[in-house]
Amino acid sequence: KRKKFDAEYDGIEDNEELMAEREKKQQQRELNVAEFEHEDEEERRGLVGIEPGTYVRVRLSGVPCEFVRHFDPRRVHLLGGLTPQEEGFGFVQVRIKKHRWHKKTLKNNDPLVFSVGWRRFQSVPLYSLKTVVAGEERNRMIKYTPDHMHCFAQFWGPLTAPNTGFVAFQSLGKGVASFRVAATGVVTMLDAGRHKVVKKLKLTGVPKKVFKNTAFVSGMFTSPLEVAKFEGASVRTVSGIRGQVKKALKGEGGVFRATFEDKILASDIVFLRTWVEVHPERFYNPVTSLLTQS
């Protein structure tokens, strides 16, 4: 690595393009100084801007009184600004990885403190992994983060430009004895609510009436509307007989008619495996450590 660094940066004066660019900037700087030499200082700053290394005085509005009351001059404060796009809120999708020095495994829907861009806030992430099932790509929810690989997470928070890095903490207290950085990652997508996160769901029911290849099943759904959502879905019995959901019976609540490959037993249990959508919690809590006494 050292040889590569020396090869790139040693003899930089021999780089004609770089030296030409430097000379061009120096000429422009001298031209600006000569052009605004006779202007007073305030007007020159308004046209050219404030030069680097100049002390400035900034007036801030809307600052909480606790910030002034608990102000610590020994702590360095960074002053920045947000673009109009970063002032909105929505679902943000990130690629996240648990830090290898963090001892605890991160659990789904456990709050984390994110440090993204200019903001530090607490939110509740929903972890998922991309899987391909029957040729369809799904974001499958996972309960815990993998130990040595990335996964995806969605949370409610301020919109941040993609490819912005972040770090996450479980606690910001000074009494934490172990390594504090829980995870690191990068923002991949905004408005992640369009990309659904699903988890497996297993519904069970029992036969109410059994005919030759048809049965009326109850206990799986609570209303005809739920039955209508799953019309045509595949069902199966414990004994291995496959079937299909047909239509709900009128006036019978969630009872529906299903057809099977063979006659099922009255003691059979009918189950349906499906996917259900999971939504992240809309939770956002900004970190206000500068407003409290340290």
Side-chain angles (χ1 to χ4, degrees):
K1 291 183 179 179
R2 185 175 180 179
K3 291 181 179 178
K4 184 179 179 182
F5 180 85
D6 293 340
E8 289 181 358
Y9 292 97
D10 283 354
I12 200 170
E13 292 79 5
D14 300 334
N15 192 333
E16 296 180 359
E17 293 183 3
L18 182 60
M19 296 307 295
E21 189 66 25
R22 285 186 175 180
E23 187 177 352
K24 184 179 177 181
K25 288 185 178 180
Q26 182 63 26
Q27 291 177 358
Q28 184 64 41
R29 191 179 296 111
E30 294 175 357
L31 183 62
N32 291 341
V33 172
E35 182 69 25
F36 299 102
E37 185 179 8
H38 303 291
E39 305 289 343
D40 62 342
E41 188 174 353
E42 298 236 350
E43 189 172 352
R44 186 169 62 251
R45 285 181 179 177
L47 296 173
V48 181
I50 300 175
E51 297 179 359
T54 306
Y55 286 95
V56 297
R57 180 178 181 179
V58 182
R59 174 177 291 182
L60 302 176
S61 60
V63 179
C65 62
E66 290 83 3
F67 180 80
V68 181
R69 186 180 306 161
H70 304 297
F71 180 75
D72 186 3
R74 295 170 298 178
R75 173 178 284 181
V76 177
H77 295 79
L78 296 178
L79 187 63
L82 298 174
T83 61
Q85 293 80 9
E86 294 177 318
E87 295 181 356
F89 282 78
F91 289 109
V92 182
Q93 179 173 294
V94 299
R95 189 173 70 248
I96 189 172
K97 181 181 179 182
K98 185 184 80 71
H99 201 283
R100 59 179 181 174
W101 292 350
H102 191 69
K103 296 181 179 179
K104 296 182 180 178
T105 302
L106 304 182
K107 188 179 178 182
N108 199 21
N109 285 331
D110 272 0
L112 286 178
V113 177
F114 293 91
S115 178
V116 189
W118 292 104
R119 287 188 170 102
R120 286 196 305 168
F121 58 91
Q122 189 181 43
S123 190
V124 180
L126 180 67
Y127 302 117
S128 63
L129 280 175
K130 282 191 177 181
T131 57
V132 179
V133 180
E136 184 180 354
E137 191 178 77
R138 289 192 176 99
N139 281 349
R140 182 172 58 87
M141 189 192 79
I142 55 177
K143 291 184 179 179
Y144 303 96
T145 55
D147 287 334
H148 305 291
M149 63 178 290
H150 290 87
C151 67
F152 290 96
Q154 293 185 5
F155 57 84
W156 177 263
L159 300 179
T160 310
N163 297 325
T164 301
F166 71 89
V167 292
F169 307 86
Q170 281 190 326
S171 175
L172 294 177
K174 296 182 179 179
V176 180
S178 59
F179 193 71
R180 290 200 310 167
V181 178
T184 59
V186 63
V187 178
T188 59
M189 190 181 304
L190 303 180
D191 195 13
R194 297 177 299 175
H195 298 264
K196 301 177 181 178
V197 178
V198 295
K199 69 174 181 178
K200 286 184 177 179
L201 181 66
K202 187 177 181 180
L203 302 174
T204 59
V206 294
K208 187 176 182 181
K209 288 184 182 181
V210 179
F211 301 97
K212 186 177 181 181
N213 287 343
T214 307
F216 295 156
V217 182
S218 64
M220 186 177 293
F221 304 110
T222 59
S223 65
L225 182 61
E226 290 185 0
V227 179
K229 291 181 180 179
F230 291 94
E231 281 186 9
S234 300
V235 293
R236 194 169 184 157
T237 64
V238 177
S239 56
I241 302 175
R242 294 175 297 182
Q244 190 177 32
V245 178
K246 291 301 182 181
K247 287 190 177 182
L249 300 181
K250 293 183 179 180
E252 294 289 336
V255 181
F256 64 93
R257 182 175 67 88
T259 57
F260 295 90
E261 295 175 338
D262 198 0
K263 186 175 181 179
I264 66 174
L265 302 175
S267 59
D268 259 337
I269 296 177
V270 183
F271 61 89
L272 183 149
R273 287 177 176 171
T274 183
W275 298 88
V276 63
E277 188 176 348
V278 185
H279 300 280
E281 296 287 340
R282 293 199 175 197
F283 177 78
Y284 170 79
N285 182 28
V287 175
T288 58
S289 58
L290 296 179
L291 304 183
T292 57
Q293 187 174 3
S294 58

